[in-house]
Amino acid sequence: MKRIGLFGADFEDSKKIVTSGKFSLTAGMPNPIHMSLLKRIFTVFIVGIFMFGILIYVNLLAAPQGIASDKDLHYISYESAVLISKIGSFLFPVNLLSYCTFLFALFPMFWPKNSLNRQVWTYFPFYFAMGWGGFVSVSYYASAVAFDAYTLLGFWLQLIVGIAFFFWIVINSIQNIKRRLNDEEPKPILKKVLLMTLGMMALLFPVSLVYYLVNKLPILWYFYPLGLLLIVLFIAYAYLVAFLINVHIVQAYYIHKYPMEYKEYLGISDRDWYSKRYYKKLVKSGQLEEE
């Protein structure tokens, strides 16, 4: 029997994986196609560009570049501030692209659409860019604390293992989607990932503790638990990306491919499926009966 590819299912088979159908259509928010013009302008320019845009810009691009020149550092060491600056410089092109993607994705997110299946493709770039901005912003400071608590070796160990976990989780999530399409049992790896993470933490903690005690180096006690959060951050971000791929790429693909079938299957009314303006146009032309 021929296996079903990730994007090769018919409508009936696709229902095996479209488990967040209504969420993938609206991303958990009120239906964007029903927003008024004033609300769209406020959401894009005031909330999106002005408030979130400035916040993401400062944390993603501006702060890492200037932190090493700060003469009044608190808590973290000067060496860890230099590390943040180097990471920021290395990631600057990617971060700039992510920031621009976030700004440009705001417009198609809230641009008027006729129906939900035309809205479904707009969520992934918006949430992926926002997720990347949050992940990198937090990882700057997680890297600094990991460096101070577990030295450069501990930082690199968490970074390398975290990247490996990221790809393992995302690839396994995609494979599990294929398994569900082919009526196979999914293979979750969260328990394995957590056990391996705890094992690495159990190794890092005593080694670092002995190192600082032997060398009589000062360190804040809460840096030890906080310094282990870098790898946890990678795991959390991996599951976020896996979720976005599942819901806002794969499920969105099938909802866009079979729009009327999923409209009926998910029990979405004409009034909710179409924008107010387009709904009135269809009713007036006799293509729909008013609900």
Side-chain angles (χ1 to χ4, degrees), residues 24 37 39 54 77 117 139 175 183 232:
S24 64
L37 180 61
K39 191 171 182 179
I54 291 176
S77 67
N117 64 304
S139 69
Q175 291 297 328
D183 296 318
V232 176

Side-chain angles (χ1 to χ4, degrees), residues 119-136:
Q119 177 74 27
V120 76
W121 288 114
T122 63
Y123 295 112
F124 183 81
F126 175 76
Y127 282 108
F128 183 83
M130 182 181 284
W132 174 261
F135 165 72
V136 174

Side-chain angles (χ1 to χ4, degrees), residues 218-268:
I219 186 172
L220 297 169
W221 67 268
Y222 49 80
F223 269 44
Y224 286 112
L226 292 178
L228 296 168
L229 293 180
L230 181 59
I231 189 171
V232 176
L233 189 63
F234 271 97
I235 293 170
Y237 182 60
Y239 276 103
L240 171 63
V241 172
F243 173 80
L244 292 177
I245 291 173
N246 179 7
V247 175
H248 296 304
I249 289 185
V250 181
Q251 293 191 36
Y253 168 81
Y254 285 110
I255 291 173
H256 189 267
K257 185 177 181 179
Y258 306 110
M260 292 299 100
E261 290 88 338
Y262 272 108
K263 175 181 174 297
E264 182 178 352
Y265 175 68
L266 297 171
I268 301 174

Side-chain angles (χ1 to χ4, degrees), residues 132-143:
W132 174 261
F135 165 72
V136 174
S137 298
V138 177
S139 69
Y140 284 142
Y141 303 100
S143 299

